[in-house]
Amino acid sequence: MLFDRWWKDLGLIERLDFTRDRVVESFLCAVGLAIEPEFSSFRIRLTKIILMILVLDDVYDVYGSIEELKHFTTAIDKWKNAREVDELPEPMKLCFQALTDITEEISVEIQNEKSWDDEHVQPHLQRVWGDFCKAMLVEAKWCRDGRTPSLKEYLTNGSVSSSGTVISVHSFCSVSSSSEMESSFLEKSDHHLIHNVCLIIRLCNDVGTSKVEQERGEAASSIACYMREADATEEEAKDYVKGLIARAWKKINEKCFGPQPPATPRRFVDITTNMARVAHNLYQDGDGFGGQDHKHHHKKQILSLLVHPLRIESC
């Protein structure tokens, strides 16, 4: 498999024993976002992006100390800050180098496909990775300090740490025409769509993983935040969070079925909406990227979607 070779050549999984090896699951997510044949190269990019999101998530959740994570975040936010990188342990230097290499590679691919100059793509990709890492650092600090934030504070940060903005900006750059990029980089209504999709990703993740993460002593979830604020039981909190998911879907549907701004590619709206659908699929039976508690279920799903042909009975 193409990604197996690329993933092994990258060298992360052999040298970082704390990170997850989820190549097939990442590709399945990419297929869920864009299944059309013309998006083959886009799916390859998405798979690489999702794998890097998982690696960074493990760096912040499992590996780095707060001081190391501060240097790591600053290095990514400033992009190639040599002084900050020098402060990092070797595994984090490797992660940093992999992220910068992949981002530059994707930027060049998009530019070559569309005959754009560098300013069209790379600054946008760098910015969203920096924002993502800053949000992850906030959650790491909450975890280390044993702090449960307010639900509003958690969701404001969690919509960014969900990684939805990372994927959506890469998607916009990949599917937009030159005129769409030049007229406006993401309309105001696009930000509204992305925000609600990011909320669904974060909330579905919490519903599927909060119990296991609390047992491991990891960062606060929307469920834990609501339980504390409202003095609610876990089941009451889950019902409340599911209500937030339903409200976010209503707002997404308004965007999908309403008139589209001229600068917004319809394909971008579809791909972004598919992110929310993929989140529901990933976390409906637990953590789709976690400890493989539902490994048999995921294997069966992957085989039925990607390997076994669909039988069509003749009349």
Side-chain angles (χ1 to χ4, degrees):
M1 183 179 178
L2 171 66
F3 294 118
D4 277 334
R5 186 169 63 251
W6 170 83
W7 184 232
K8 288 175 182 175
D9 290 345
L10 197 61
L12 291 180
I13 201 64
E14 289 82 7
R15 297 169 66 181
L16 308 181
D17 58 4
F18 58 85
T19 196
R20 290 163 286 181
D21 187 2
R22 300 290 184 267
V23 176
V24 178
E25 291 89 340
S26 297
F27 179 69
L28 184 65
C29 291
V31 171
L33 265 63
I35 197 171
E36 294 82 357
E38 63 267 27
F39 290 135
S40 175
S41 61
F42 175 53
R43 283 191 292 275
I44 294 172
R45 288 179 209 137
L46 278 177
T47 304
K48 294 178 179 181
I49 293 161
I50 294 166
L51 282 165
M52 281 309 306
I53 288 169
L54 294 176
V55 169
L56 291 175
D57 185 60
D58 290 336
V59 167
Y60 282 88
D61 281 356
V62 179
Y63 181 78
S65 68
I66 289 298
E67 194 60 33
E68 290 167 345
L69 293 175
K70 286 179 181 177
H71 288 297
F72 188 71
T73 304
T74 302
I76 292 174
D77 189 40
K78 293 183 177 179
W79 211 252
K80 289 192 172 178
N81 186 299
R83 186 181 66 81
E84 296 292 344
V85 174
D86 288 341
E87 299 289 336
L88 300 174
E90 286 304 317
M92 294 175 80
K93 287 180 182 178
L94 182 61
C95 293
F96 178 84
Q97 190 61 53
L99 178 63
T100 55
D101 287 349
I102 289 168
T103 302
E104 290 179 9
E105 171 194 314
I106 289 173
S107 176
V108 170
E109 285 177 1
I110 296 173
Q111 288 157 204
N112 289 341
E113 284 179 6
K114 300 176 181 292
S115 301
W116 292 342
D117 60 47
D118 187 58
E119 293 304 311
H120 264 95
V121 181
Q122 191 159 338
H124 299 300
L125 306 189
Q126 292 172 352
R127 176 180 54 80
V128 289
W129 280 120
D131 291 344
F132 172 69
C133 288
K134 284 185 279 189
M136 294 294 292
L137 178 61
V138 169
E139 293 185 352
K141 289 178 179 177
W142 287 341
C143 182
R144 306 309 198 274
D145 295 341
R147 179 177 172 233
T148 302
S150 68
L151 181 60
K152 182 179 180 180
E153 185 182 7
Y154 173 81
L155 291 179
T156 299
N157 188 76
S159 64
V160 181
S161 69
S162 72
S163 76
T165 51
V166 172
I167 297 172
S168 64
V169 169
H170 280 78
S171 300
F172 187 82
C173 291
S174 293
V175 303
S176 297
S177 67
S178 181
S179 61
E180 289 164 341
M181 284 285 289
E182 289 174 356
S183 61
S184 175
F185 185 80
L186 294 175
E187 296 280 343
K188 184 177 180 181
S189 60
D190 296 327
H191 288 287
H192 187 67
L193 169 67
I194 293 167
H195 173 72
N196 283 291
V197 169
C198 288
L199 281 181
I200 288 176
I201 296 171
R202 170 52 56 208
L203 295 171
C204 285
N205 184 316
D206 287 352
V207 170
T209 67
S210 63
K211 187 172 182 179
V212 173
E213 288 184 349
Q214 284 184 47
E215 290 172 353
R216 290 198 301 252
E218 293 188 12
S221 70
S222 55
I223 293 171
C225 293
Y226 184 78
M227 286 173 67
R228 180 175 178 178
E229 275 189 17
D231 192 23
T233 66
E234 184 177 358
E235 285 307 310
E236 289 170 339
K238 282 187 176 182
D239 287 342
Y240 181 81
V241 168
K242 288 175 182 177
L244 294 179
I245 293 171
R247 287 199 287 275
W249 263 118
K250 287 181 181 179
K251 293 175 182 177
I252 291 170
N253 288 336
E254 289 173 5
K255 167 70 177 178
C256 290
F257 294 107
Q260 303 299 321
T264 302
R266 181 70 230 186
R267 290 168 295 180
F268 170 72
V269 174
D270 293 341
I271 289 168
T272 304
T273 303
N274 284 342
M275 287 165 54
R277 297 189 178 105
V278 168
H280 275 277
N281 179 62
L282 268 177
Y283 299 109
Q284 63 183 337
D285 294 310
D287 188 351
F289 282 124
Q292 304 287 274
D293 297 330
H294 302 275
K295 189 172 183 179
H296 178 71
H297 168 77
H298 291 307
K299 181 178 180 180
K300 189 176 180 181
Q301 185 181 65
I302 289 165
L303 288 172
S304 66
L305 287 172
L306 302 178
V307 179
H308 297 153
L310 180 65
R311 289 187 177 183
I312 301 177
E313 300 293 342
S314 57
C315 297

